[in-house]
Amino acid sequence: MASEKKSFFQKLKEGLTNTREGMVGRIESVISGRKEYDESMLEDLEEALILSDIDMDTTERIINELRDDISRLNIKTEDKLMQQIQNIVSFILTSET
């Protein structure tokens, strides 16, 4: 019985890892090489999040917060943009539990 649970949890862990890596890869492909973080980029990012199985309400929340943060925090680099996306997602995940 314990080995079945371990097998189930191992599969779950692998599935979540694949999902996370897929989402991060999609986000990185959207922001990589961009000169500006504009509405076009935000639309592409929205599509990437939806393709990563993020529900529409959460996707809209991420995009709206990111739109505000890009301007408010004067985000100009890929690293800072990616960090802010991570901050927003982490905040959403911890505030929903």
Side-chain angles (χ1 to χ4, degrees), residues 23-34:
M23 183 177 86
V24 170
R26 284 185 183 99
I27 291 170
E28 287 176 342
S29 72
V30 167
I31 66 174
S32 180
R34 297 268 183 159

Side-chain angles (χ1 to χ4, degrees), residues 54-95:
I54 306 298
D55 68 82
M56 195 61 194
D57 289 339
T58 304
T59 295
E60 287 179 3
R61 184 173 171 189
I62 292 167
I63 296 300
N64 289 335
E65 288 185 30
L66 188 60
R67 180 182 290 113
D68 293 341
D69 290 348
I70 289 170
S71 175
R72 183 176 57 84
L73 301 173
N74 197 30
I75 295 173
K76 300 285 185 194
T77 67
E78 289 179 29
D79 289 340
K80 287 184 180 180
L81 183 63
M82 194 63 175
Q83 183 60 53
Q84 194 58 29
I85 293 168
Q86 290 172 349
N87 291 343
I88 293 167
V89 171
S90 292
F91 178 79
I92 290 170
L93 288 173
T94 58
S95 68

Side-chain angles (χ1 to χ4, degrees), residues 14-49:
E14 289 171 5
L16 291 172
T17 298
N18 290 339
T19 298
R20 184 189 74 231
E21 288 173 358
M23 183 177 86
V24 170
R26 284 185 183 99
I27 291 170
E28 287 176 342
S29 72
V30 167
I31 66 174
S32 180
R34 297 268 183 159
K35 302 275 190 248
E36 293 183 17
Y37 302 129
D38 56 9
E39 282 302 313
S40 174
M41 185 272 308
L42 290 170
E43 289 172 9
D44 292 344
L45 184 58
E46 180 178 35
E47 182 180 335
L49 291 169

